[in-house]
Amino acid sequence: MPPEPKKTKLFFFTYCKFATSALSKNIIKMLDIIQTIASRFHLLGDTVVLSILAAGQFDNHLWRIIVVAACSRLHPLLIPADSVLATAWYFYWPFFLAHAYAIFKVPHLRSRQPRLGCTFVTGADSGMGQTTVLHLASTPGPKRSYHDCIFAGAYDAAGAEKNFAKLLAGNEQALKKIVVVPLDVTSDKSVGNAASTTALHMAKTPTVGLTSVINFHGVAFNGPTEYMPIAMYQRQHDVNYIGNLRMVQAFLPLVKSAVGSVSAGHRARFIFTGTGGGACSPCPSLLSAYMSSKFAVEAMCQSLRMEMHMLGRPIDCCVINPGFVKPTMLMEEGIRMTTKMWGGCRDAMEGSTAAEDEYGPMMEHFVKYSAAVPGEHVSAVARAADDALTAYMPRTSYKVGIDSKLAPIVGLLPTGLRELMARHGMYGKLSPAGTVKGYEVGC
């Protein structure tokens, strides 16, 4: 027979009363435990919260390392001596690593500035420059902001226009923001004309002016230092280093004019492209021309940044340091340039093939290594450029890819160990292409 309704209700209310009483007791016990823990560890908890907030004030790895180091010294003073964190290392170290992880991963807590005015991007024919133009044209910045106009400096302007039309088919709004400008950074006249074209176009457009310049142009000549023709060294530096100087001297007046009319607090940007981990990177065999041109850019950017600061101009200068980035035209261009380089060596040595005989297998291995390295997708560079444009206080260097982040660490090691790791990383046991034959890679 089914239970009587009155008895069922009585049972239900009795059960609810018992359950509520038990739950209340458990909640009170939990609150007591939390209160006990809070009273014993409140200084440690305060330190954890404040250290994470302090780390988020600056988007700087060195600053965050300093915060972690300071916390490692404070922990023993703040943890009760009889607690499990003080007596058992297998409890303390997970806590410390979790604290350090939070310090390194907390985002920059300063508000980001919106994209404003116009920007000029060089090297927009392909690779990093082209991807950055596409990113800025089609992806909104902070507060749903867009640039008024994106000037895409391209060596082959007609080809670049066709590529952008194809890549942005169906997105007319983004395509309208892009203005392709013919640009050869090795020509004073071409750079001057590009600056004039930019100024004339902005005069017809409702905009505050040119608030940023992003330099992605570049070439990579690789070869043996003792044989590679001087003309190739000169060409390398003319594009990668002097080309940046031409851009600064031609476009800085436009940026200076713009910063005088933008709202207070907005800072303009000059962004350059370095390589690897920057000036601290080891310089491997066969890369003397390329690396020296990039080191020169680092020095120029650092000096320009301090000059702008000392003159009180709100213009920040920084470098994007990509490791291996794919896909770009560097692989195809590199193979073509290598063939040209061997031909130049033979011409300089009156037909002798000594350079290719001595360094040929090493160069072939370098090409295999370049193809085998996974590399970072080129879109990561575009995101780094966007971050540099909108950061409240940009980093001096944006390292893209794990190889770029590890390079300056290796570069700070003792010379013998640093060069041993550099040789093995590219030509020896640590290389994805294996060990090159016929050369002394080891100690």
Side-chain angles (χ1 to χ4, degrees):
M1 293 180 66
E4 296 180 14
K6 290 184 179 180
K7 290 183 178 181
T8 303
K9 289 181 179 179
L10 180 63
F11 172 78
F12 176 74
F13 286 123
T14 304
Y15 174 78
C16 289
K17 183 178 180 181
F18 173 78
T20 304
S21 176
L23 181 62
S24 299
K25 290 179 181 178
N26 287 333
I27 291 175
I28 292 172
K29 286 181 180 179
M30 290 176 61
L31 290 174
D32 288 340
I33 293 172
I34 292 172
Q35 184 178 4
T36 302
I37 293 174
S39 63
R40 299 194 67 200
F41 293 93
H42 71 93
L43 289 177
L44 181 64
D46 292 344
T47 301
V48 169
V49 173
L50 290 174
S51 64
I52 293 173
L53 291 175
Q57 296 305 304
F58 300 100
D59 191 15
N60 182 290
H61 290 102
L62 178 59
W63 166 245
R64 298 185 183 211
I65 290 172
I66 292 171
V67 173
V68 170
C71 290
S72 71
R73 302 294 293 177
L74 289 173
H75 284 169
L77 303 176
L78 301 176
I79 297 175
D82 59 341
S83 68
V84 69
L85 283 178
T87 57
W89 65 268
Y90 44 83
F91 279 105
Y92 172 73
W93 276 105
F95 162 75
F96 174 75
L97 292 176
H99 186 190
Y101 180 81
I103 288 172
F104 275 101
K105 298 304 287 187
V106 63
H108 195 191
L109 300 178
R110 301 287 186 92
S111 60
R112 308 189 73 80
Q113 64 179 18
R115 296 180 195 159
L116 191 67
C118 302
T119 186
F120 195 105
V121 182
T122 71
D125 300 81
S126 62
M128 295 181 287
Q130 181 189 80
T131 304
T132 299
V133 170
L134 293 172
H135 174 83
L136 295 177
S138 57
T139 307
K143 302 178 181 179
R144 305 293 298 175
S145 59
Y146 286 92
H147 287 292
D148 298 326
C149 181
I150 302 166
F151 295 99
Y155 188 79
D156 177 11
E161 284 187 352
K162 291 179 182 178
N163 288 335
F164 285 125
K166 180 179 179 182
L167 294 168
L168 290 173
N171 191 348
E172 292 298 323
Q173 194 67 25
L175 189 59
K176 287 179 181 178
K177 293 182 179 296
I178 300 172
V179 177
V180 178
V181 179
L183 178 67
D184 176 5
V185 296
T186 65
S187 166
D188 294 342
K189 182 178 179 181
S190 177
V191 175
N193 288 341
S196 299
T197 301
T198 302
L200 287 172
H201 190 279
M202 290 191 298
K204 303 173 184 177
T205 306
T207 180
V208 297
L210 189 69
T211 57
S212 57
V213 177
I214 311 173
N215 296 282
F216 278 124
H217 60 270
V219 294
F221 293 158
N222 303 314
T225 308
E226 65 173 314
Y227 293 120
M228 196 163 81
I230 295 299
M232 297 190 78
Y233 275 94
Q234 292 171 330
R235 175 68 178 176
Q236 177 78 86
H237 281 256
D238 198 21
V239 176
N240 288 11
Y241 174 50
I242 304 299
N244 280 294
L245 284 175
R246 289 190 180 98
M247 289 298 299
V248 169
Q249 294 185 358
F251 283 84
L252 187 55
L254 298 179
V255 177
K256 286 162 54 180
S257 176
V259 296
S261 59
V262 298
S263 57
H266 192 95
R267 299 184 65 85
R269 301 284 190 266
F270 252 95
I271 301 173
F272 305 93
T273 310
T275 189
C280 289
S281 297
C283 188
S285 304
L286 304 178
L287 301 184
S288 62
Y290 177 74
M291 296 295 282
S292 61
S293 70
K294 292 299 186 179
F295 289 167
V297 172
E298 296 271 354
M300 183 266 292
C301 178
Q302 185 178 136
S303 182
L304 179 63
R305 180 170 57 249
M306 287 194 282
E307 290 167 2
M308 295 298 100
H309 179 84
M310 295 180 72
L311 289 172
R313 293 173 182 161
I315 302 173
D316 297 309
C317 305
C318 54
V319 178
I320 295 176
N321 292 107
F324 271 90
V325 174
K326 297 178 179 180
T328 66
M329 293 296 291
L330 287 179
M331 278 295 297
E332 294 81 355
E333 285 294 309
I335 294 172
R336 185 177 68 83
M337 293 299 179
T338 297
T339 302
K340 182 179 178 180
M341 184 270 298
W342 290 134
C345 291
R346 287 192 295 270
D347 292 342
M349 300 173 65
E350 299 179 351
S352 172
T353 60
E356 197 166 358
D357 294 340
E358 291 181 37
Y359 290 95
M362 188 187 299
M363 180 62 80
E364 290 176 7
H365 183 90
F366 174 72
V367 173
K368 291 179 182 177
Y369 167 81
S370 301
V373 172
E376 194 77 17
H377 193 270
V378 68
S379 60
V381 177
R383 291 193 298 272
D386 193 8
D387 189 72
L389 287 174
T390 59
Y392 171 82
M393 186 180 296
R395 304 177 192 173
T396 56
S397 171
Y398 286 81
K399 294 173 175 58
V400 180
I402 186 63
D403 49 348
S404 178
K405 292 178 172 67
L406 291 176
I409 299 174
V410 175
L412 294 174
L413 296 174
T415 302
L417 180 58
R418 177 181 73 238
E419 294 186 354
L420 177 67
M421 293 182 68
R423 290 195 302 272
H424 275 285
M426 192 168 285
Y427 299 103
K429 296 178 180 179
L430 302 177
S431 171
T435 301
V436 66
K437 305 298 182 184
Y439 300 93
E440 294 184 12
V441 180
C443 298

